[in-house]
Amino acid sequence: MLSPVHLKVLATVARYGSVTEAARELHYSQPSVSHHLARLEAATGVKLVQRVGRGIRLTPEGELLANRAAEIIGRIEAATTELAAHVGLQAGRVRLAANASALSTLVPKAAAALTSTYPGLELNLIEHHPVEALQLLRHGEIDVALIFRYADAPAEDDGFRLVHVGYDSIYLLSLQPGDSIANHRDSAWIGGCERCQEELITVCRLAGVTPRIASLSDEIVVVQAFVAAGIGVATIPGLALQAHRHPGIHATEVPDYRRQLFAVTYGEPPDPPATTALIEALQNAAE
């Protein structure tokens, strides 16, 4: 039988790529980490780690098991938290990942309501794009991922369960009130990360415009400052606009195009009480 301790050691070595760093993270000695890895290799009957110069690397079998180990350890930790949360939500922990615009608007409001009702509940928050948030959720490193998606987006993989939280409209930022994307066929546009640019291009194409992306920034304060300075125009989600709005710009809602917001959990229902309470707080905050 595989030992959770051995699996945790392997997952930590995989995360840091070093026995030394893994030992420091786990508060073990280096020989102890090596011993756990050797015991795990004996239990599985396969070579999991190779020496490369003065360092180590995982074999393909080691990488496969390390990925599963991270998920298993995450589930064990989540189960411990769930058990604590069952005691009247007077203790325990719930972990949430969301993107910056949600973390600066919806989430603080939900967090304040949750901690007011359940002061003994520990809430951990982390910023991640939906793709990375779902990966953390699959590995058991968080309990809830607050994501955005569009109606025509492909369904998530099996195991993910989505609860609708609300909507987030998209706005055109420019210097003109009542503006439209069609008015900016020849304008310079401000883009962001690769995923943000895909969204921008999609929104513009629906209006028959191919955007000429001349500047790049993911920071909403910078984007709005660029627009205010006449450097270009941009699109921005409504939540981001709630978090910060430059007084020198105009925001025009893009018709018939908005994000859907979902709270996502992973695994078989029911969700633990702490997770359910967080999702309800998010829904109330979005109303």
Side-chain angles (χ1 to χ4, degrees):
M1 180 179 294
L2 300 182
S3 164
V5 174
H6 298 162
L7 291 175
K8 185 172 185 177
V9 169
L10 178 64
T12 307
V13 169
R15 185 187 313 146
Y16 289 97
S18 163
V19 169
T20 301
E21 293 301 320
R24 183 177 292 113
E25 170 67 17
L26 295 168
H27 303 291
Y28 290 171
S29 66
Q30 291 186 43
S32 179
V33 170
S34 298
H35 174 72
H36 285 301
L37 291 175
R39 291 286 300 274
L40 186 56
E41 287 183 335
T44 59
V46 296
K47 190 71 174 175
L48 301 173
V49 177
Q50 295 176 323
R51 293 210 169 273
V52 181
R54 294 184 177 181
I56 60 97
R57 70 181 175 198
L58 299 185
T59 64
E61 294 80 7
E63 291 178 355
L64 175 64
L65 185 57
N67 287 334
R68 290 300 185 188
E71 183 174 345
I72 291 167
I73 296 305
R75 291 295 153 206
I76 291 174
E77 293 178 351
T80 302
T81 301
E82 291 170 15
L83 185 60
H86 270 285
V87 186
L89 287 176
Q90 297 303 308
R93 176 184 64 170
V94 61
R95 303 161 296 175
L96 169 74
N99 68 332
S101 61
L103 281 178
S104 56
T105 51
L106 278 182
V107 174
K109 184 178 179 180
L114 187 68
T115 55
S116 175
T117 305
Y118 307 108
L121 190 63
E122 178 185 348
L123 178 61
N124 299 150
L125 305 174
I126 183 171
E127 180 185 340
H128 273 292
H129 188 275
V131 174
E132 287 77 21
L134 291 177
Q135 186 71 8
L136 291 175
L137 186 61
R138 182 192 295 276
H139 286 170
E141 296 180 40
I142 59 172
D143 305 297
V144 181
L146 181 59
I147 70 167
F148 60 83
R149 68 191 306 277
Y150 298 95
D152 58 352
E156 279 70 25
D157 295 340
D158 290 343
F160 291 114
R161 292 183 290 110
L162 280 65
V163 177
H164 188 259
V165 170
Y167 294 96
D168 190 13
S169 296
I170 302 297
Y171 289 81
L172 168 68
L173 301 184
S174 71
L175 297 177
Q176 302 297 324
D179 207 352
S180 71
I181 290 175
N183 292 336
H184 294 280
R185 297 181 187 279
D186 300 320
S187 298
W189 286 80
I190 303 162
C193 67
E194 182 178 345
R195 299 185 186 102
C196 298
Q197 288 190 46
E198 289 176 0
E199 179 182 90
L200 170 61
I201 291 170
T202 299
V203 172
C204 288
R205 281 178 177 168
L206 291 175
V209 173
T210 300
R212 176 173 61 86
I213 300 175
S215 303
L216 297 175
S217 177
D218 288 325
E219 173 54 56
I220 60 175
V221 175
V222 174
V223 170
Q224 294 185 43
F226 282 0
V227 174
I231 294 172
V233 295
T235 58
I236 192 172
L239 288 179
L241 196 59
Q242 289 180 34
H244 172 78
R245 183 160 185 164
H246 193 290
I249 63 173
H250 290 278
T252 306
E253 185 174 354
V254 177
D256 303 322
Y257 195 84
R258 59 181 182 174
R259 295 169 164 181
Q260 298 182 66
L261 301 175
F262 291 95
V264 188
T265 56
Y266 186 76
E268 295 296 324
D271 291 320
T275 297
T276 300
L278 174 57
I279 293 173
E280 290 177 353
L282 290 169
Q283 290 176 311
N284 292 335
E287 290 180 355

